[in-house]
Amino acid sequence: MADNKQIATDVLAAVGGAKNVDKLVHCMTRLRFTLKDGSIPVDDDVKNIVGVLGVQEVSGQYQVIIGQNVGKVYDEICSQAGLAKEAAIDECID
């Protein structure tokens, strides 16, 4: 079973911490970050986090693929970073 709190902690650190997150939303399987400085995350480092299935940059978003437990990881990141929660996006655009 995935440790959602640890995944959240590791992903948040890998994207540069709360200070680097401009916005965060999620869809069915992905965390969708809008980052202040997109050069901070190192894709291979993020991919190597236990619980992360992959990463992709799409339409100015840094997307971290988590899978079905994305909502729980999203809640943890919002809690840790002091971010306001937003409704999930209905559709994943790859």
Side-chain angles (χ1 to χ4, degrees):
M1 181 137 225
D3 182 347
N4 297 314
K5 186 173 186 172
Q6 189 62 53
I7 296 168
T9 299
D10 293 345
V11 168
L12 186 58
V15 299
K19 67 184 181 305
N20 195 39
V21 178
D22 194 39
K23 183 176 180 181
L24 174 62
V25 295
H26 73 91
C27 61
M28 290 175 48
T29 60
R30 298 171 186 221
L31 298 167
R32 295 167 168 236
F33 290 92
T34 303
L35 300 173
K36 294 174 183 171
D37 182 351
S39 70
I40 291 176
V42 176
D43 290 350
D44 287 338
D45 291 347
V46 179
K47 289 177 189 176
N48 286 328
I49 295 170
V50 173
V52 171
L53 304 175
V55 298
Q56 192 171 31
E57 289 188 56
V58 179
S59 301
Q61 293 179 334
Y62 190 77
Q63 299 182 1
V64 180
I65 305 165
I66 300 293
Q68 293 181 337
N69 62 318
V70 70
K72 294 175 183 175
V73 175
Y74 172 81
D75 288 346
E76 284 289 342
I77 290 176
C78 288
S79 176
Q80 291 178 23
L83 299 169
K85 293 181 187 177
E86 298 192 26
I89 297 170
D90 288 335
E91 184 178 318
C92 261
I93 301 171
D94 293 334

